[in-house]
Amino acid sequence: MNTVLLTAYVLIWPVLVAATLFVITRGAVREWSTARKNGDNLV
């Protein structure tokens, strides 16, 4: 396997994890903001 392809394969995982974490965090903040605006408890 080419070294460049192997390096790209290894380095893509932190990018995918960061993107997933960003989406999850954004959703949680939206839910918290909506709950706070409506006066509801988040849990």
Side-chain angles (χ1 to χ4, degrees):
M1 186 177 237
N2 192 354
T3 305
V4 174
L5 289 176
L6 185 59
T7 302
Y9 177 76
V10 168
L11 292 178
I12 197 68
W13 292 108
V15 174
L16 291 175
V17 169
T20 303
L21 187 61
F22 173 75
V23 169
I24 291 171
T25 303
R26 187 179 66 179
V29 169
R30 268 193 199 153
E31 291 288 326
W32 175 77
S33 176
T34 303
R36 184 177 170 121
K37 192 179 294 180
N38 294 333
D40 297 333
N41 289 328
L42 190 59
V43 178

